[in-house]
Every structure is written in structure tokens, then in C-alpha cells.
Amino acid sequence: MSDFTHEVPGGAAWSFPIRAGRLVTLTALGDDACVSTLLFGPDRLDRLNVPDTLKAQMSACIKAPMVLMSDRGVALASVVSSSLDWHDCLTGFGSDAHLARFGPSSYAVDRNDWKRSARTGLVSELTKHGLGEADLHGSVNFFSKVGITDDPHGTLGLLTGVSHEGDTVTLRTEVDVLLVLATAPHPLSTTPYAPAGVRIDVAIAEPVTSDDPSWQFRDESARALEQARRLAA
Amino acid sequence: MTTTLQATVLDTVVQAGDGALIRVPAGGRLRIVDTHGNQAVDTLLYDADDIDNRYSAFDTIREQGAVYLTTGSRLLSTRLDELAVISDDTCGRHDTIGGACAQESNVIRYGEHVRHQHACRQTFLAYGAAAGIGQRQLGHNINFFMNVPVDSLGNLNFEDGVSAPGKYVEIVASRDILVLISNCPQLNNPCNGWDPTAVQLLGWWES
Ligand SMILES: [Zn+2]
């Protein structure tokens, strides 16, 4: 049963509280999408911790069936499926400085096509929930892949042509979360300004069974899910 | 008023599991010495005039186009302001994606039996409080001397440190900054050889 669907156009931002036990499917509405996403737990103080998420699951990127862990070791959401095996979470979201190459833009001139950065959009959405700049944290940039080189510096670069219109990622919320996202260009993007939008479908998740891939993935993933289970108990 | 340029104004030892909050004025130089080797020094930086303008690991990584920190790395804030630059580094590279240990993340990684072990997050909160740094202000930190290799396949590992006794890293403040340090008490991984040890802090700036 589908709860609701919402479309966020490219270059915009959105936030919404989503209850535990929902499937949240993000669908890219264009090629090379970048959906910079922040997640908060039920009290809005506990939030996504990308370093903890990565080190506990021995990964430098986000992919199924990893769980997204909070500062307090709670699984906020599980990545239950994705058409892509790599979502960037090491390079943060873009600031106004990253839009400068597109030239000046303002509401007065461009009306609702004015160009705003992911950071501006995320802070605006955070503020609506009584949060703000202090609550920014490492984002997951869904649909973006930033390749890592095996050299002594760990050189990074955005890969284009990896994600396409129709690519999806589905998260299962493990606790009540606040989802905050922006669809501005990836900060390492060098292509013309054409950020893809994203469709969000929210549905009721099936009860989790003992063979759930995220529970089975690693002992660390299961322990974070257990913390979430206790929080919801 | 007598002003001594670049006098040694700081020379202190931070014991394993302890921390420090140090105000370094613009142009000041702070050296962290790994006295015994293989220690992890979890570090956060803040604009001294506005703690919301704090170190950002992922902005720093992106703007330098590389995962590891070393000499020349500009340590950027969430507003892309340069807070400090690594001016010298005898270790070679430092981690900024491994994060700090916390009681809760220790439970996730090692199991419930470690819940009441001391962890960096408590040290950060204890020493940060004097500057108004609380839970919301704890961003993703630097781990000086820690070795967390990532590879082109997207794997991440924790390995024995690349540091050694006497190795040091030095930063020069680009503006007035607060440096919040937790000398990691972690006993459960090889980053500090299962034996956390003391570090020395040396500072040179106008007093
Ligand atoms: Zn630690």
C-alpha cells in the first residue's frame, strides 16, 4: 500500500518527517542525479553519522544492504535495495561557491529557476524544523559516484554517466526520522547546469524477518538495528 | 606591553584518554607530537568567533580532491573558510573519514560489553563545554596519526598506524581558531596498537 508520492524538481530542497517502518524509494528523474540527503532520529538531535556508518560496515560508499547509523549507534534507515552499487558519501554537498561558474542568478531575474546550492536548501529546510547550521553533517549523495584512486593521497573524482533516469534506491526507516534532501548539482560536477529531480514514494514496509539482508549483513549492522528496535519498543 | 613573536607559549602533555581545548590565534603554529607512536589524536577545529563555522571533513576532502590529509592540506569549514593549513607532517598522512569513537559506536563495532569504556565523544563534550560546544556542534573530525585506507573498490579498513615515536604534525591557524582534542582512549582496534599513549602539544604564537 502506497502512502504518498512527492516529486522534488532539480535545484530544490525538501524535508519531511517519516515514520518508522516505511519504505522510502528515491527515483532519479534524470541522468547524473545528486540527491544530497541528511537524516535525523526521533529527537532531531541524534543524526546520521557517515564515519560511523562506514567504519562499522567497512565501506567507503553507501550501498545495499548497509544501514545508515546515527551518532548514538542507532540504525536510522536500511538501504534495502538500489539499482546502483555506489552512492557517494565522502564529498559533502555543494555551496553557493560551486554554483558561481553558472554566473549570477537571483529570484528577481530568474524567478523560480534561480540557482540555489544544496547547502542553502538544506539549511533552509533545517530551520523549518528548529534546526540550523549546527545540525549539518556528512550527507549521502544518492545517485552520485565519486571514484577513489589507489594512490598515496586517495585522489577523488566525480564519475559521470554512472546513474541514469529511473535509477532507484529504497530506504526502510527503522525509527521515526526527519529526511532532509536537496537536488542541486554535485559539488564536483563540471557539466552544464541541469540538476535532475527526484520522486519520493513512501509505502508501508513489510515486517522484518530473520533473513532480512540488513540484519544479516554484518554483526555491526545487526547491532545498530537492535538499537533501533529498542528505541521503537 | 611586551610582545614576543612566535615564543613557545604552549608545551603540554595530553595523557591517553584526556583532551584539550586550545585557542590558537591567526598565524599561530600548533604541533602535535606522537610521543610513543601509533596514537590517534581526534581533533576538531572551530572558528573562535563563531563555533557554527567548524571543521568539515567532507568539504576538506572534496576541495583538495583527496581522502587523506598531509602537508599542504587546507582544513576547511562548513562555510568553506580556511581554518588552518597542515604546515609540516613527518608522519605522511592522516585520516579524516574514520570519525571519533563514542560509547555507542563502540557497542556497534565491538559489542555491548564495551558500552562503559571511555570514548572520544565524552572527551570532546567535556572539554568543548567551556566554548559552548555541545552535541550539535560535534562535526566529523580529523584523526591525526590514524591509518584508515580506502580503495578504488569502495572498501574501508582500519590498519596499524603509519606513525612512530616522535612523529609530529603541525598546523598553522588561518584565523583565530579553537582546537578541540581528544587523545583517543580506544582499546579495541589496532590504530593505536591497543595501547593508547600520551601526546605532546607545542604551540608558537604571539603572546
Ligand atoms: Zn577515540
Side-chain angles (χ1 to χ4, degrees), chain B residues 42 100-101 119-120 182 184-186:
Chain B
D42 294 49
C101 64
C120 282
S182 167
C184 186
Q186 185 57 253

Side-chain angles (χ1 to χ4, degrees), chain B residues 184-201:
Chain B
C184 186
Q186 185 57 253
L187 292 166
N188 301 292
N189 75 45
C191 286
N192 47 18
W194 294 278
D195 180 25
T197 49
V199 296
Q200 183 186 20
L201 304 180

Side-chain angles (χ1 to χ4, degrees), chain B residues 136-150:
Chain B
R136 295 173 71 209
Q137 284 74 31
L138 293 190
H140 310 310
N141 58 292
I142 301 167
N143 294 303
F144 285 122
F145 308 115
M146 200 159 108
N147 188 22
V148 183
V150 296

Side-chain angles (χ1 to χ4, degrees), chain A residues 45-52 54-56 58-61 63 69 71-74 86 89-95 97-98 119 130-139 145 148-157 186-188 219-221 223-225 227 230, chain B residues 42 50 52-54 56-59 61-70 77-80 92-93 96-102 104-112 115 121 134-141 143 146 148-158:
Chain A
L45 184 60
D46 196 26
R47 63 196 180 199
L48 175 64
N49 187 314
V50 167
D52 284 359
L54 297 182
K55 71 186 176 190
M58 307 303 270
S59 178
C61 60
K63 57 191 172 186
M69 297 178 191
D71 289 336
R72 289 189 212 132
V74 174
W86 187 304
C89 60
L90 293 184
T91 59
F93 40 82
S95 299
H98 300 105
R119 188 185 195 283
L131 305 171
E133 204 176 357
D135 304 287
L136 291 171
H137 53 269
S139 60
K145 179 171 182 176
I148 303 164
T149 309
D150 295 315
D151 66 18
H153 305 291
T155 303
L156 292 163
H186 191 283
L188 290 172
D219 290 346
E220 293 88 341
S221 320
R223 283 193 283 261
L225 286 161
Q227 298 303 320
R230 292 182 185 190
Chain B
D42 294 49
D50 182 354
D52 275 353
N53 196 23
R54 64 176 185 234
S56 171
F58 300 138
D59 286 302
I61 286 173
R62 183 191 64 244
E63 295 304 312
Q64 71 172 11
V67 174
Y68 313 117
L69 304 178
T70 187
S77 77
T78 51
R79 294 180 199 156
L80 302 185
R93 69 185 215 191
T96 191
I97 63 172
C101 64
E104 294 80 4
S105 68
N106 284 344
V107 167
I108 298 308
R109 294 183 69 200
Y110 309 111
E112 193 65 49
R115 179 174 298 274
R121 187 169 282 261
Q135 171 72 21
R136 295 173 71 209
Q137 284 74 31
L138 293 190
H140 310 310
N141 58 292
N143 294 303
M146 200 159 108
V148 183
V150 296
D151 65 30
S152 56
L153 300 176
N155 300 307
L156 176 149
N157 292 288
F158 275 73

